[in-house]
Amino acid sequence: MSEEDVKSKSLVPYVAIAVVLIVVIGAVLFWPADKPIEPVPPVDVPVTTIPEVEPLPMPEEEPMEEEPEVMPEPEVEPEPIPEPEPVDTSDGAVKTELLKLSDYGELARLLVNDDLLQRFVITTNNLADEELPANHQVLAKPDQAFRTFQQADKEWIDPASYKRYTPYVDVLESLDPESLEQLYQEYKPAINEIFAEISSPGQDFDETLIEAIDLLLDTPEVPMPVEVYTDSVMFKFKDQRLEALAAPQKQLLRTGPENMRRIKAKLRELRTAIAADQE
């Protein structure tokens, strides 16, 4: 049955009602008037005398029963809605909640023990500003030192240096993105309070977090090996295009191509979860 047939069929009752109304109205307005009635001649009727009858005594009125007084039902006050318990934002509570998101024991060792929420907010804000936080890391530093090797009078990053970041990437991959996003929403009021103290008026932390994620996702892929040099203070990329990248992007490059690929995949999952929550 076509859509037009369905619509036509659905209109049948309304068309029938309209037709009946028109017929009734037409009958009232246009029905021919009745013929006039001819008068009937009078007829003589004999008068009969009716004897008087004593009136019957009126029945005694029975007293009306008083209706029982209806007492109003007592008003029942609605039970007060319990206020939600405040979220525990202490370092111990935050760390405990984070550890619940992963069964990977290394997370307990890598997480710092103090100012976790504040470190997270400051780190996110710095990353969005294309800077690295100096003393506000959420995770402990790697135990192994950065290593290079010499070849053909040039200095290259030793692939062994990339392995020192593998435990961090393993921890990141062990976190469920939906659970992590739910925990983020739970602590969001406290996070917004911290962010309001360090940001400009009107700035939104969600947008800042997405900016930080996007910055890391924009880090380019580079072929191996990667040449570096020292300026007596720190290692720098020999390729000026890489050296011109933002500090967080250069740090991501130092984790190695495989770790960077895994980190980006997890960041995309987290970004998708946050963006979906904003819609």
Side-chain angles (χ1 to χ4, degrees), residues 97-105 107 170-171 174-176:
E97 292 300 319
L98 284 171
L99 293 178
K100 290 179 182 178
L101 304 182
S102 171
D103 55 0
Y104 191 64
L107 178 59
D170 291 340
V171 166
S174 70
L175 300 176
D176 176 55

Side-chain angles (χ1 to χ4, degrees), residues 9-20:
K9 188 174 182 180
S10 64
L11 289 174
V12 168
Y14 302 96
V15 172
I17 292 172
V19 171
V20 171

Side-chain angles (χ1 to χ4, degrees), residues 216-231:
L216 296 175
L217 290 176
D218 288 339
T219 305
E221 310 289 336
V222 298
M224 295 282 290
V226 180
E227 186 178 0
V228 293
Y229 71 97
T230 58
D231 63 354

